[in-house]
Amino acid sequence: MKKPRYPYRIALLMLILTVPPIGATQLGWYLYDKQTGFDYGMIVGTFSVIYAAWLMYEKNWREDDED
């Protein structure tokens, strides 16, 4: 699979790091309570950071395109 262009990679990383943790926090807060929502957000945020770091360092997404 080919890497997306550099601006799209940065946008995808920003989405990976923001949307799932915020969504998990809001969903946990709505379904359970404030503390459970915060815990869900922290857990999902940890996995989001691990996945984004894997993409940046193992898949070389942090390097600019060489056209």
Side-chain angles (χ1 to χ4, degrees):
M1 186 173 149
K2 187 177 175 192
K3 289 192 296 190
R5 291 189 336 210
Y6 187 71
Y8 294 121
R9 290 193 305 249
I10 297 301
L12 283 171
L13 288 171
M14 289 172 40
L15 287 174
I16 288 170
L17 290 171
T18 56
V19 173
I22 292 172
T25 302
Q26 293 298 316
L27 193 61
W29 193 318
Y30 177 74
L31 294 176
Y32 299 103
D33 60 355
K34 188 185 298 186
Q35 183 61 44
T36 305
F38 181 74
D39 293 341
Y40 285 172
M42 293 297 283
I43 291 167
V44 172
T46 301
F47 285 108
S48 295
V49 168
I50 290 169
Y51 184 61
W54 179 76
L55 286 173
M56 287 187 342
Y57 292 105
E58 293 295 323
K59 295 294 185 179
N60 289 327
W61 275 32
R62 62 190 165 115
E63 301 297 325
D64 200 4
D65 293 333
E66 295 178 11
D67 293 329

